[in-house]
Amino acid sequence: MEIRVSIDREKDFEAEMTKEEAENGRDEMLIDGPEQANTVPDGFNATYLRIYYGKLFPHADIFKWMSYGNDGKHPACDKSYFGRREFSFTLENDIYIRFQSFNSVSELENSIKEKCPFKIDIGPVYSVDPAKRHAYAQSGHNVFTPVERELVFDILRFFSHQDITDYDDVRYCCTGADVCLECWPLMTVAIKVIDTALRDDFGFNHILWVYSGRRGVHCWVCDGKARRLTNEQRASIADYFRVYKGNENSNKKISLPGPVLHPFLARSYTEVLKGFFEAKLLSKQNLLASEERYEKILEMIADASVASELRGRWQENKRLSMSKEDINIARWEQLKHILQSGKQKSQGLRRCVEEIVFSFTYPRLDMEVSKHMNHLLKAPFCVHPKTG
């Protein structure tokens, strides 16, 4: 699905802003000098949000997408389908309204324009209209249950609880909610790995990737067979992608057991992760440039004598940092040579190189988002309330 915003609608937006500024007194914007006249406020702005919903938000496209052909245009369609979908609105001052439902695109559009939600979340399609769930409960029949929901993924977590901040242990350019061109490619790599597996390993075709608006990426798998998966089946698919076994206090967060990698992991490693780690991440993030940083990698090596040998070499060769050779690449090649040499008989130790690469590059998912059909997820094209 393509979302097209016409030049005319953009002009309407600008005209509306000019009108808004005039009504509010544009002269007030000139108090601190003429350079302030065209300043756009950082972050979220409720005035802009109302105009965005009125002029640019794709109400009709959202309705067409989430109807999946059940939009009343052919005799066999389920006309109640869209009306059984849950929408959740978060209003100003964190007023939370769940189980909103709409029977038409005009109802959806009018409600959004009227309430001007700071955030819109989308839930499942229920067996009955979610707005009338109490009436069904009073009838004595417990029929209110989710029956369809896109298979969704929330790629996060630069190991805290906030999207790209779950990657803060593998990047040094930014912390917290900050994202730059040096660390955003971690999200790109995650998309490549998950998208390929969803298409090649599970046979899904209708996949929408959406920037969350702050620190992460959301994936909506919209195939009919994906929407009808049970919670158990969703959990199995989510578990297919799981390789993280530790937590933020673990030296070793990745475990790759067995004599050979699973075909999905082997493909991800050879086609995406290894090249990205060695060609981009290693040098861009200076992963081995200082003692503080390389110690984090040495802690992942199970054999203390091997880690000690590398530590000794790197401490003796600090002068290498003054040479033309990238110290990160040089040290990584030394590490690979020692761990993968014929002297290392242990399969686990030779696997350590792959585990290090996976630790720094493999997608980090919020598993709970994918496992449960009734989990809410921020709507695509909805402005993020913390960033605008």
Side-chain angles (χ1 to χ4, degrees):
M1 176 183 69
E2 292 185 17
I3 303 299
R4 297 186 177 90
V5 180
S6 70
I7 293 175
D8 289 340
R9 290 172 73 186
E10 292 184 14
K11 289 180 178 177
D12 288 344
F13 182 87
E14 293 169 359
E16 187 74 20
M17 283 310 305
T18 303
K19 178 183 176 184
E20 193 84 25
E21 290 164 354
E23 291 173 351
N24 293 334
R26 186 176 179 105
D27 288 344
E28 294 178 4
M29 299 179 68
L30 299 172
I31 290 174
D32 295 325
E35 69 277 7
Q36 299 292 325
N38 295 317
T39 300
V40 177
D42 289 334
F44 187 81
N45 184 288
T47 301
Y48 287 177
L49 183 66
R50 189 170 296 280
I51 297 167
Y52 171 68
Y53 283 140
K55 300 293 183 181
L56 298 173
F57 187 79
H59 307 89
D61 292 304
I62 294 284
F63 176 80
K64 183 179 180 180
W65 164 29
M66 300 234 143
S67 294
Y68 294 106
N70 296 294
D71 51 6
K73 293 182 179 179
H74 60 85
C77 73
D78 178 359
K79 294 183 179 180
S80 72
Y81 184 87
F82 188 84
R84 292 185 281 116
R85 168 81 69 170
E86 177 188 358
F87 288 82
S88 168
F89 291 171
T90 303
L91 308 184
E92 191 172 9
N93 298 320
D94 288 330
I95 298 172
Y96 196 45
I97 309 176
R98 282 201 63 179
F99 302 112
Q100 304 283 290
S101 63
F102 311 100
N103 292 310
S104 65
V105 64
S106 59
E107 282 189 21
L108 173 68
E109 182 171 354
N110 291 338
S111 181
I112 290 175
K113 288 180 177 178
E114 176 191 348
K115 294 184 174 69
C116 196
F118 280 27
K119 184 166 177 260
I120 302 172
D121 289 292
I122 297 176
V125 176
Y126 285 94
S127 52
V128 296
D129 183 343
K132 300 176 182 177
R133 65 196 182 284
H134 295 308
Y136 288 101
Q138 292 171 0
S139 69
H141 300 288
N142 187 20
V143 295
F144 182 64
T145 183
V147 293
E148 277 195 26
R149 204 274 189 273
E150 295 79 10
L151 176 63
V152 294
F153 295 91
D154 190 356
I155 298 183
L156 301 169
R157 310 218 177 236
F158 267 131
F159 267 115
S160 65
H161 292 289
Q162 299 296 338
D163 293 18
I164 209 167
T165 55
D166 256 12
Y167 288 82
D168 275 348
D169 59 333
V170 303
R171 62 174 185 159
Y172 297 99
C173 53
C174 303
T175 58
D178 294 336
V179 183
C180 72
L181 293 176
E182 302 295 340
C183 58
W184 185 255
L186 284 161
M187 294 287 105
T188 306
V189 165
I191 291 171
K192 288 179 180 178
V193 169
I194 301 298
D195 190 84
T196 299
L198 290 172
R199 296 180 189 277
D200 294 355
D201 300 349
F202 292 98
F204 297 128
N205 295 305
H206 302 286
I207 301 171
L208 175 67
W209 289 96
V210 187
Y211 173 46
S212 72
R214 194 180 188 192
R215 296 173 288 207
V217 178
H218 297 163
C219 174
W220 297 71
V221 186
C222 304
D223 301 60
K225 62 181 180 179
R227 303 199 307 270
R228 291 185 283 272
L229 290 169
T230 65
N231 284 343
E232 292 74 19
Q233 291 168 330
R234 292 167 193 267
S236 295
I237 293 176
D239 203 53
Y240 181 82
F241 294 108
R242 184 194 299 274
V243 299
Y244 289 96
K245 306 297 181 185
N247 54 47
E248 60 253 49
N249 297 317
S250 304
N251 292 333
K252 186 176 178 181
K253 299 183 176 71
I254 295 286
S255 178
L256 301 174
V260 295
L261 287 177
H262 183 282
F264 156 62
L265 298 179
R267 180 188 65 218
S268 300
Y269 180 76
T270 58
E271 295 182 5
V272 182
L273 304 182
K274 181 176 182 288
F276 170 72
F277 179 84
E278 294 184 342
K280 301 286 181 65
L281 193 68
L282 197 59
S283 297
K284 293 287 187 181
Q285 297 296 332
N286 285 308
L287 299 182
L288 295 169
S290 67
E291 183 174 355
E292 179 186 5
R293 296 184 183 185
Y294 68 59
E295 280 296 335
K296 292 183 179 180
I297 291 180
L298 293 180
E299 287 171 354
M300 300 180 194
I301 300 174
D303 191 320
S305 64
V306 173
S308 179
E309 180 182 349
L310 285 166
R311 184 181 296 108
R313 288 191 185 189
W314 295 347
Q315 288 175 345
E316 290 174 6
N317 295 330
K318 289 181 180 178
R319 291 189 302 275
L320 187 63
S321 61
M322 302 299 291
S323 71
K324 293 182 179 179
E325 186 176 11
D326 188 313
I327 193 171
N328 299 284
I329 302 297
R331 287 174 172 172
W332 177 247
E333 291 301 323
Q334 288 178 340
L335 181 148
K336 285 198 301 180
H337 177 73
I338 291 178
L339 288 176
Q340 296 179 333
S341 68
K343 292 188 300 181
Q344 306 303 336
K345 304 298 182 184
S346 167
Q347 175 64 42
L349 204 56
R350 301 185 72 171
R351 178 59 53 79
C352 189
V353 171
E354 295 162 346
E355 290 179 344
I356 291 171
V357 172
F358 270 85
S359 294
F360 279 85
T361 60
Y362 187 78
R364 303 184 179 190
L365 304 175
D366 185 340
M367 292 293 180
E368 297 307 311
V369 170
S370 305
K371 288 180 178 180
H372 303 292
M373 194 182 292
N374 61 352
H375 201 293
L376 297 171
L377 190 63
K378 179 176 168 292
F381 313 107
C382 165
V383 175
H384 197 291
K386 286 188 169 58
T387 63

